[in-house]
PDB file of all heavy atoms in Angstrom:
ATOM      1  N   ASP A 195      42.672-106.141   7.726  1.00  0.00           N
ATOM      2  CA  ASP A 195      42.108-104.797   7.799  1.00  0.00           C
ATOM      3  C   ASP A 195      43.118-103.806   8.366  1.00  0.00           C
ATOM      4  O   ASP A 195      43.312-102.715   7.819  1.00  0.00           O
ATOM      5  CB  ASP A 195      40.851-104.788   8.677  1.00  0.00           C
ATOM      6  CG  ASP A 195      39.623-105.300   7.944  1.00  0.00           C
ATOM      7  OD1 ASP A 195      39.708-105.473   6.707  1.00  0.00           O
ATOM      8  OD2 ASP A 195      38.596-105.529   8.582  1.00  0.00           O
ATOM      9  N   LEU A 196      43.751-104.177   9.466  1.00  0.00           N
ATOM     10  CA  LEU A 196      44.711-103.279  10.098  1.00  0.00           C
ATOM     11  C   LEU A 196      45.910-103.011   9.188  1.00  0.00           C
ATOM     12  O   LEU A 196      46.484-101.922   9.208  1.00  0.00           O
ATOM     13  CB  LEU A 196      45.190-103.866  11.425  1.00  0.00           C
ATOM     14  CG  LEU A 196      44.155-103.981  12.544  1.00  0.00           C
ATOM     15  CD1 LEU A 196      44.742-104.691  13.758  1.00  0.00           C
ATOM     16  CD2 LEU A 196      43.634-102.614  12.946  1.00  0.00           C
ATOM     17  N   SER A 197      46.269-103.984   8.378  1.00  0.00           N
ATOM     18  CA  SER A 197      47.421-103.843   7.500  1.00  0.00           C
ATOM     19  C   SER A 197      47.107-103.037   6.245  1.00  0.00           C
ATOM     20  O   SER A 197      47.983-102.336   5.722  1.00  0.00           O
ATOM     21  CB  SER A 197      47.951-105.219   7.081  1.00  0.00           C
ATOM     22  OG  SER A 197      48.346-105.984   8.207  1.00  0.00           O
ATOM     23  N   ASN A 198      45.858-103.131   5.757  1.00  0.00           N
ATOM     24  CA  ASN A 198      45.559-102.608   4.428  1.00  0.00           C
ATOM     25  C   ASN A 198      44.626-101.410   4.393  1.00  0.00           C
ATOM     26  O   ASN A 198      44.498-100.770   3.341  1.00  0.00           O
ATOM     27  CB  ASN A 198      44.954-103.721   3.566  1.00  0.00           C
ATOM     28  CG  ASN A 198      45.916-104.880   3.372  1.00  0.00           C
ATOM     29  OD1 ASN A 198      47.093-104.675   3.087  1.00  0.00           O
ATOM     30  ND2 ASN A 198      45.424-106.096   3.540  1.00  0.00           N
ATOM     31  N   VAL A 199      43.944-101.086   5.499  1.00  0.00           N
ATOM     32  CA  VAL A 199      43.034 -99.943   5.479  1.00  0.00           C
ATOM     33  C   VAL A 199      43.827 -98.685   5.123  1.00  0.00           C
ATOM     34  O   VAL A 199      44.989 -98.528   5.506  1.00  0.00           O
ATOM     35  CB  VAL A 199      42.331 -99.805   6.848  1.00  0.00           C
ATOM     36  CG1 VAL A 199      43.317 -99.402   7.943  1.00  0.00           C
ATOM     37  CG2 VAL A 199      41.190 -98.818   6.766  1.00  0.00           C
ATOM     38  N   GLN A 200      43.215 -97.788   4.350  1.00  0.00           N
ATOM     39  CA  GLN A 200      43.949 -96.611   3.868  1.00  0.00           C
ATOM     40  C   GLN A 200      44.398 -95.703   5.009  1.00  0.00           C
ATOM     41  O   GLN A 200      45.490 -95.148   4.975  1.00  0.00           O
ATOM     42  CB  GLN A 200      43.079 -95.834   2.874  1.00  0.00           C
ATOM     43  CG  GLN A 200      42.942 -96.517   1.521  1.00  0.00           C
ATOM     44  CD  GLN A 200      41.979 -95.799   0.609  1.00  0.00           C
ATOM     45  OE1 GLN A 200      40.773 -95.967   0.704  1.00  0.00           O
ATOM     46  NE2 GLN A 200      42.507 -94.979  -0.288  1.00  0.00           N
ATOM     47  N   CYS A 201      43.545 -95.524   6.003  1.00  0.00           N
ATOM     48  CA  CYS A 201      43.899 -94.667   7.139  1.00  0.00           C
ATOM     49  C   CYS A 201      43.576 -95.401   8.441  1.00  0.00           C
ATOM     50  O   CYS A 201      42.413 -95.683   8.723  1.00  0.00           O
ATOM     51  CB  CYS A 201      43.139 -93.350   7.084  1.00  0.00           C
ATOM     52  SG  CYS A 201      43.515 -92.220   8.456  1.00  0.00           S
ATOM     53  N   LEU A 202      44.599 -95.722   9.199  1.00  0.00           N
ATOM     54  CA  LEU A 202      44.449 -96.361  10.498  1.00  0.00           C
ATOM     55  C   LEU A 202      44.751 -95.319  11.577  1.00  0.00           C
ATOM     56  O   LEU A 202      45.804 -94.681  11.550  1.00  0.00           O
ATOM     57  CB  LEU A 202      45.407 -97.547  10.628  1.00  0.00           C
ATOM     58  CG  LEU A 202      45.482 -98.229  11.999  1.00  0.00           C
ATOM     59  CD1 LEU A 202      44.140 -98.842  12.382  1.00  0.00           C
ATOM     60  CD2 LEU A 202      46.582 -99.277  12.016  1.00  0.00           C
ATOM     61  N   ILE A 203      43.811 -95.140  12.508  1.00  0.00           N
ATOM     62  CA  ILE A 203      43.981 -94.163  13.585  1.00  0.00           C
ATOM     63  C   ILE A 203      44.129 -94.906  14.903  1.00  0.00           C
ATOM     64  O   ILE A 203      43.250 -95.687  15.282  1.00  0.00           O
ATOM     65  CB  ILE A 203      42.783 -93.204  13.662  1.00  0.00           C
ATOM     66  CG1 ILE A 203      42.584 -92.485  12.321  1.00  0.00           C
ATOM     67  CG2 ILE A 203      42.966 -92.182  14.783  1.00  0.00           C
ATOM     68  CD1 ILE A 203      41.316 -91.650  12.241  1.00  0.00           C
ATOM     69  N   ILE A 204      45.242 -94.674  15.592  1.00  0.00           N
ATOM     70  CA  ILE A 204      45.486 -95.276  16.901  1.00  0.00           C
ATOM     71  C   ILE A 204      45.558 -94.138  17.910  1.00  0.00           C
ATOM     72  O   ILE A 204      46.517 -93.354  17.920  1.00  0.00           O
ATOM     73  CB  ILE A 204      46.773 -96.113  16.910  1.00  0.00           C
ATOM     74  CG1 ILE A 204      46.715 -97.191  15.827  1.00  0.00           C
ATOM     75  CG2 ILE A 204      46.981 -96.753  18.283  1.00  0.00           C
ATOM     76  CD1 ILE A 204      47.956 -98.070  15.748  1.00  0.00           C
ATOM     77  N   ASP A 205      44.549 -94.056  18.739  1.00  0.00           N
ATOM     78  CA  ASP A 205      44.384 -92.944  19.675  1.00  0.00           C
ATOM     79  C   ASP A 205      44.917 -93.320  21.056  1.00  0.00           C
ATOM     80  O   ASP A 205      44.822 -94.475  21.478  1.00  0.00           O
ATOM     81  CB  ASP A 205      42.894 -92.593  19.755  1.00  0.00           C
ATOM     82  CG  ASP A 205      42.632 -91.229  20.377  1.00  0.00           C
ATOM     83  OD1 ASP A 205      43.590 -90.450  20.550  1.00  0.00           O
ATOM     84  OD2 ASP A 205      41.461 -90.945  20.676  1.00  0.00           O
ATOM     85  N   GLU A 206      45.467 -92.330  21.743  1.00  0.00           N
ATOM     86  CA  GLU A 206      45.914 -92.469  23.135  1.00  0.00           C
ATOM     87  C   GLU A 206      47.003 -93.531  23.300  1.00  0.00           C
ATOM     88  O   GLU A 206      46.919 -94.412  24.169  1.00  0.00           O
ATOM     89  CB  GLU A 206      44.727 -92.768  24.057  1.00  0.00           C
ATOM     90  CG  GLU A 206      43.691 -91.649  24.076  1.00  0.00           C
ATOM     91  CD  GLU A 206      42.531 -91.927  25.024  1.00  0.00           C
ATOM     92  OE1 GLU A 206      42.429 -93.068  25.533  1.00  0.00           O
ATOM     93  OE2 GLU A 206      41.730 -91.010  25.240  1.00  0.00           O
ATOM     94  N   VAL A 207      48.023 -93.432  22.469  1.00  0.00           N
ATOM     95  CA  VAL A 207      49.178 -94.312  22.638  1.00  0.00           C
ATOM     96  C   VAL A 207      49.847 -93.974  23.962  1.00  0.00           C
ATOM     97  O   VAL A 207      50.142 -92.820  24.247  1.00  0.00           O
ATOM     98  CB  VAL A 207      50.186 -94.124  21.483  1.00  0.00           C
ATOM     99  CG1 VAL A 207      51.418 -94.980  21.708  1.00  0.00           C
ATOM    100  CG2 VAL A 207      49.530 -94.449  20.149  1.00  0.00           C
ATOM    101  N   GLY A 208      50.063 -94.980  24.749  1.00  0.00           N
ATOM    102  CA  GLY A 208      50.649 -94.768  26.079  1.00  0.00           C
ATOM    103  C   GLY A 208      49.684 -95.095  27.188  1.00  0.00           C
ATOM    104  O   GLY A 208      50.091 -95.381  28.315  1.00  0.00           O
TER     105      GLY A 208
END
Side-chain angles (χ1 to χ4, degrees):
D195 280 350
L196 293 175
S197 300
N198 298 315
V199 68
Q200 287 175 278
C201 180
L202 173 63
I203 303 172
I204 303 180
D205 196 12
E206 298 182 350
V207 177

